[in-house]
Amino acid sequence: MLVAVVLGFIFALLVPFFSRFTKKAISLVYPLIPLFLFLYFLGFLEKIKSEGQILFHYNWVPSLGIDLSFRLDGLSLLFALMITGIGTLVFAYTANYLKGHQYLDRFYGYLSMFMASMLGVVLSDNLMSMFIFWELTSISSYFLIGFNNDDPASRKSALTALSITGFGGLVMLSGIILLQVVGGSYSFTELLNSSEIIKNSNSYGWIIALMFVGAFTKSAQFPFHFWLPGAMKAPTPVSTYLHSATMVKAGIYLLARFTPLLGDTIWWNSTLVTVGAITMVYAAIHSVFRVDLKGILAYSTISALGILVFLIGIGTEKSLLAAGIFILAHALYKAALFLITGIIDHETGSRDVSKLAGLQKVMMPVAIAGFLAALSSAGLPFLLGFISKEVMYEATLQLGNWALILTALAVLTKILLLVAGFWAGIKPFTGNLPSEFNKAHMPSPLLWVPPLLLGFLSLGFGMFPFLVQESLIQPVFRSISRSETIIELKLWHGFNLVLLLSVFTLVSGGLLYFFLKPTKALFEKTFRFEVISPQNIIENGSNLFGSFARFWTKFFQNGYLRNYVITILAFLTLLMAYRLFGEVNIYIDWDQISTVSYYEAIVVVLMIISIIFAISTNSRTTAIVALGVVGFANCLFFIFYSAPDLAMTQFSIDTLTVLLFMLVLVKLPKNKSFSSKGMKFRDAFLSLTFGVLIAILTLEVFEEPSSSEVSKYFADNAYLLAKGRNVVNVILVDYRGFDTMIETVVLVIAAAGVFSLMKLDLNPSKKDL
């Protein structure tokens, strides 16, 4: 299982090496990777059907409770099959769609990395490892959305998507950590045993709120939905793979996965129903105002995601069953519609649905695929979309007092989505072919076979639901609901209210499709609401934050080193003053203070004189020598108090510092005074205040009881664990090995900087300019 998950990463790393030899072979070999994985996961169908779940465990960081544990059950298997199955079609489709592109190998590398990341998300049983894969999907999707990196709009869309989903991921991380604190484990399987403890804890509200932010941003729920239409700047294979079948459903997967653990409470259910209902209606309305095929599909996808959140929020067995069926149905027909949109754009150069018509005359197989996908989207009988719609209506009708309102919202959404689906899958192929598209022709089979196959799968699963009932949908239902109820998918449930609603949806949607025509004038009517749109509000907030950041940076990062030092010292001074203002425990036992010797007094006087020289002289050389004297005086104090190792260290550092300063002096311009008397007084006051506070803090530390536990540990284990008898050396070399290594790196960087300054020519010739 571990190899299956990381296989995409391995091949993504190998792409640069393969591309050096041949790029043509990559387009032939790469579709075999998801195909192999699809067949691998397909082999688990019977085992999951009989056993329910399979766990795989690989140690990673056991000391932190982080392992590469994988859980394969009905829900994760469904997603794994969609990721690899649709991935196979997308990989094959890409071979022709981006044929001849100079960065085709890079594109396949990004796709492979994304596929592996999504598999890691849906298969991980450890929440921390799931989060790592979760963020990898955001990073890989950033590269895919911004693949056309010479287009400013693509770069902006990629950055927006990364910002929204990355923000949600970081918020979700807080929820995962809080969940581990309450439940005592990162393992989802173990957390299931602590479900009631988590729900009854004071942190439950925070946990679900943080998890909701992660799920809502990833699955484009209102008001975080706007990144998804913007992501349509990506090539069509990206839109198909990420924004219909896989990445946008990661949030749906998260909610479905956590329903047995955190669900079945008023806060969980009511929040999901509310957000899902708003999203599905809002996006469905927007979808019928668009004229760009990708825009229509983007908003209809957001609406479908809202339906899934809505169904998970209802939380009944019927609604969870409807969610499981709709996940599969939507992936099949929406992926087909996106692929068809790519074909239309590829052959006609247009995605304007108000202009497209009559394409069935030149690309009949594509038209058949579009009809099947659109009819499944509408919920026509004998297609899988019909079964999901029927079960959804059954679920909303069982909700008592809320049944009328929620069913009405569901029906309205499905009517509008029917229109959007017909515009995308039927309208471009019906009517007379415009003269401007006379050059359109039948595309390569690599382009039209994938959507046609997806369309026939929607038809096959709809006509013969038993094909997926026991082997796939039943395990999915069991995983989400934790119920052993035996489900039965049927095409005919008799004459009842559900059938009446279904007929009403089809008739109303059909009439609306015939009477409502997509036009740019209709689309422009939405512009008047841009001011109050979530996108505009969030972008304005982001711009305001950016302006504040620029002001803040300009104020503090103003190019003067002395200001940086003053800022740091002022902050530390205020921090220590606040700490000492509340309580200061200082007691000095003068009897324990040793007599000041004459040589100690001489060294102190020498330090004072050197400090005065350093701050009053106008000569850099004098100031550096004076500071060197202060450092050497410190060395003498270390010697007086029997610390020769510290004295040698201090001596080496001060000698090196003085030498380096002197070497740099020859390259610096003449000394100038930038400080007024007021500034000097300010600096002196701040320095004295800081020094006094440090002295008080030091005296207070002396009053704290000393603990010898750490010292005893080092003394007892220095020889046993580090094989050294000198405890100080052992601490520096072994226990603080990384610290010492980093200090060494810092010194090397400083030396490189000094060397660069020494080589800098401050008087370049005109020729160099």
Side-chain angles (χ1 to χ4, degrees), residues 183-196:
S185 175
Y186 285 121
S187 171
F188 179 80
T189 302
E190 295 178 9
L191 287 171
L192 280 175
N193 299 323
S194 306
S195 177
E196 292 304 318

Side-chain angles (χ1 to χ4, degrees), residues 491-748:
L491 283 174
W492 178 251
H493 294 83
F495 292 99
N496 52 26
L497 183 56
V498 172
L499 179 64
L500 179 62
L501 290 174
S502 185
V503 172
F504 176 76
T505 301
L506 293 172
V507 173
S508 301
L511 291 174
L512 187 60
Y513 167 72
F514 282 110
F515 287 103
L516 182 66
K517 302 299 180 184
T519 60
K520 289 187 177 180
L522 186 65
F523 172 57
E524 290 172 356
K525 290 182 180 180
T526 63
F527 294 169
R528 67 186 70 176
F529 301 104
E530 287 294 317
V531 178
I532 59 173
S533 67
Q535 179 177 358
N536 189 63
I537 293 173
I538 293 177
E539 286 184 349
N540 287 339
S542 176
N543 294 334
L544 183 63
F545 184 81
S547 300
F548 173 75
R550 285 188 291 273
F551 163 77
W552 188 264
T553 302
K554 186 177 180 181
F555 180 79
F556 285 103
Q557 303 293 327
N558 46 32
Y560 291 99
L561 181 60
R562 64 166 184 253
N563 288 348
Y564 303 159
V565 176
I566 289 171
T567 301
I568 295 171
L569 286 181
F571 175 77
L572 291 176
T573 301
L574 292 173
L575 191 64
M576 288 189 294
Y578 174 77
R579 162 65 183 83
L580 297 175
F581 180 77
E583 181 181 0
V584 179
N585 298 318
I586 298 177
Y587 172 74
I588 303 176
D589 188 355
W590 297 100
D591 296 332
Q592 294 183 0
I593 298 178
S594 60
T595 305
V596 178
S597 60
Y598 69 90
Y599 49 82
E600 291 175 337
I602 292 174
V603 173
V604 169
V605 171
L606 182 62
M607 292 178 70
I608 293 173
I609 294 173
S610 299
I611 291 171
I612 293 173
F613 263 98
I615 63 177
S616 61
T617 184
N618 291 324
S619 170
R620 282 203 192 95
T621 305
T622 305
I624 292 172
V625 172
L627 291 176
V629 172
V630 174
F632 294 144
N634 269 327
C635 296
L636 294 176
F637 274 112
F638 291 140
I639 294 174
F640 294 159
Y641 291 100
S642 304
D645 53 341
L646 291 177
M648 291 301 296
T649 304
Q650 182 74 27
F651 177 78
S652 301
I653 291 175
D654 276 297
T655 302
L656 177 64
T657 303
V658 171
L659 289 174
L660 288 175
F661 271 125
M662 295 300 291
L663 287 172
V664 172
L665 275 179
V666 299
K667 294 292 185 178
L668 293 178
K670 292 183 178 181
N671 197 15
K672 291 183 179 180
S673 177
F674 291 95
S675 301
S676 63
K677 290 184 178 180
M679 295 171 66
K680 291 179 179 179
F681 177 79
R682 176 202 63 191
D683 297 345
F685 175 77
L686 181 61
S687 301
L688 289 172
T689 304
F690 184 74
V692 171
L693 290 175
I694 288 293
I696 295 173
L697 185 63
T698 303
L699 292 174
E700 187 178 18
V701 169
F702 288 151
E703 294 302 309
E704 293 294 325
S706 60
S707 174
S708 60
E709 293 180 5
V710 176
S711 302
K712 186 176 184 302
Y713 172 82
F714 284 131
D716 293 341
N717 293 281
Y719 182 74
L720 295 176
L721 298 180
K723 310 305 179 186
R725 296 186 183 275
N726 188 314
V727 177
V728 176
N729 287 346
V730 168
I731 293 173
L732 291 175
V733 176
D734 289 272
Y735 292 105
R736 291 182 59 213
F738 279 106
D739 179 63
T740 306
M741 181 186 71
I742 293 172
E743 289 176 351
T744 305
V745 172
V746 171
L747 285 175
V748 172

Side-chain angles (χ1 to χ4, degrees), residues 240-526:
T240 304
Y241 199 26
L242 276 66
H243 306 134
S244 66
T246 53
M247 190 186 83
V248 290
K249 286 196 174 73
I252 303 301
Y253 168 83
L254 184 76
L255 296 174
R257 174 61 76 204
F258 278 86
T259 291
L261 177 64
L262 302 174
D264 200 25
T265 66
I266 186 172
W267 296 109
W268 176 274
N269 295 90
S270 59
T271 302
L272 293 183
V273 169
T274 302
V275 173
I278 293 173
T279 302
M280 69 184 191
V281 175
Y282 175 88
I285 293 173
H286 269 274
S287 68
V288 297
F289 280 86
R290 263 55 192 174
V291 293
D292 181 88
L293 283 174
K294 275 196 170 184
I296 294 170
L297 294 179
Y299 276 100
S300 63
T301 298
I302 296 171
S303 182
L305 296 171
I307 291 173
L308 287 169
V309 172
F310 173 76
L311 292 173
I312 294 172
I314 292 174
T316 62
E317 289 191 359
K318 277 292 183 184
S319 69
L320 296 178
L321 173 61
I325 302 171
F326 190 56
I327 289 172
L328 177 60
H330 176 263
L332 294 177
Y333 74 70
K334 188 56 65 70
L337 289 174
F338 267 112
L339 293 176
I340 291 166
T341 296
I343 294 172
I344 294 173
D345 190 20
H346 192 270
E347 298 301 324
T348 66
S350 173
R351 297 200 305 261
D352 190 340
V353 71
S354 64
K355 297 179 180 178
L356 294 167
L359 292 176
Q360 87 281 356
K361 297 178 180 179
V362 291
M363 49 180 77
M364 181 56 71
V366 182
I368 294 173
F371 275 62
L372 290 174
L375 294 176
S376 182
S377 170
L380 196 74
F382 303 109
L383 289 151
L384 188 59
F386 170 75
I387 297 176
S388 69
K389 181 182 66 176
E390 293 273 297
V391 180
M392 180 176 71
Y393 286 168
E394 286 184 40
T396 57
L397 289 172
Q398 296 176 354
L399 297 179
N401 296 333
W402 290 96
L404 180 61
I405 296 176
L406 297 183
T407 302
L409 292 176
V411 171
L412 173 62
T413 301
K414 292 299 292 184
I415 290 173
L416 296 174
L417 290 183
L418 182 150
V419 176
F422 278 20
W423 282 358
I426 294 179
K427 186 182 183 303
F429 301 100
T430 56
N432 298 318
L433 182 67
S435 58
E436 58 186 297
F437 301 138
N438 283 335
K439 294 183 179 180
H441 57 82
M442 189 66 186
S444 165
L446 286 176
L447 292 181
W448 61 261
V449 168
L452 189 62
L453 179 59
L454 291 170
F456 278 121
L457 284 176
S458 294
L459 179 62
F461 292 156
M463 293 182 65
F464 310 105
F466 64 86
L467 293 174
V468 292
Q469 176 179 300
E470 294 184 4
S471 60
L472 196 56
I473 301 301
Q474 179 73 55
V476 171
F477 170 72
R478 189 188 306 127
S479 300
I480 303 176
S481 66
R482 309 293 291 177
S483 171
E484 296 298 328
T485 302
I486 304 299
I487 66 169
E488 184 178 3
L489 304 181
K490 297 186 297 184
L491 283 174
W492 178 251
H493 294 83
F495 292 99
N496 52 26
L497 183 56
V498 172
L499 179 64
L500 179 62
L501 290 174
S502 185
V503 172
F504 176 76
T505 301
L506 293 172
V507 173
S508 301
L511 291 174
L512 187 60
Y513 167 72
F514 282 110
F515 287 103
L516 182 66
K517 302 299 180 184
T519 60
K520 289 187 177 180
L522 186 65
F523 172 57
E524 290 172 356
K525 290 182 180 180
T526 63

Side-chain angles (χ1 to χ4, degrees), residues 44-283:
F44 286 101
L45 279 176
E46 288 301 316
K47 198 168 185 180
I48 295 299
K49 175 183 174 182
S50 58
E51 298 183 15
Q53 67 178 27
I54 307 172
L55 298 177
F56 304 85
H57 182 82
Y58 307 92
N59 287 331
W60 190 16
V61 193
S63 59
L64 298 179
I66 303 174
D67 298 306
L68 287 173
S69 301
F70 301 109
R71 175 191 179 98
L72 189 63
D73 59 6
L75 182 63
S76 56
L77 181 59
L78 171 63
F79 273 88
L81 290 173
M82 290 195 307
I83 293 166
T84 54
I86 295 179
T88 302
L89 300 179
V90 169
F91 275 55
Y93 182 94
T94 301
N96 189 271
Y97 189 83
L98 293 178
K99 184 178 180 180
H101 198 289
Q102 60 176 333
Y103 297 130
L104 177 61
D105 52 343
R106 183 185 300 179
F107 187 80
Y108 272 122
Y110 295 154
L111 275 183
S112 298
M113 185 168 64
F114 173 79
M115 178 183 67
S117 302
M118 274 303 303
L119 286 175
V121 168
V122 302
L123 294 172
S124 290
D125 184 62
N126 187 281
L127 300 186
M128 193 56 71
S129 61
M130 183 201 73
F131 165 76
I132 294 172
F133 287 116
W134 181 281
E135 291 299 271
L136 285 173
T137 62
S138 296
I139 294 171
S140 53
S141 67
Y142 168 76
F143 292 124
L144 287 167
I145 296 170
F147 181 69
N148 297 319
N149 50 44
D150 55 344
D151 182 8
S154 293
R155 296 198 299 269
K156 181 181 178 181
S157 298
L159 188 60
T160 300
L162 180 64
S163 301
I164 297 296
T165 58
F167 162 75
L170 291 176
V171 173
M172 187 184 74
L173 175 61
S174 303
I176 290 174
I177 295 173
L178 192 57
L179 190 58
Q180 188 274 338
V181 171
V182 177
S185 175
Y186 285 121
S187 171
F188 179 80
T189 302
E190 295 178 9
L191 287 171
L192 280 175
N193 299 323
S194 306
S195 177
E196 292 304 318
I197 296 175
I198 297 170
K199 292 177 183 177
N200 294 326
S201 71
N202 294 329
S203 302
Y204 173 72
W206 284 106
I207 291 172
I208 62 172
L210 296 170
M211 302 303 284
F212 282 160
V213 173
F216 293 164
T217 51
K218 200 75 160 184
S219 288
Q221 296 299 288
F222 184 91
F224 307 110
H225 64 280
F226 58 87
W227 70 263
L228 182 56
M232 294 300 114
K233 297 293 183 181
T236 295
V238 176
S239 303
T240 304
Y241 199 26
L242 276 66
H243 306 134
S244 66
T246 53
M247 190 186 83
V248 290
K249 286 196 174 73
I252 303 301
Y253 168 83
L254 184 76
L255 296 174
R257 174 61 76 204
F258 278 86
T259 291
L261 177 64
L262 302 174
D264 200 25
T265 66
I266 186 172
W267 296 109
W268 176 274
N269 295 90
S270 59
T271 302
L272 293 183
V273 169
T274 302
V275 173
I278 293 173
T279 302
M280 69 184 191
V281 175
Y282 175 88

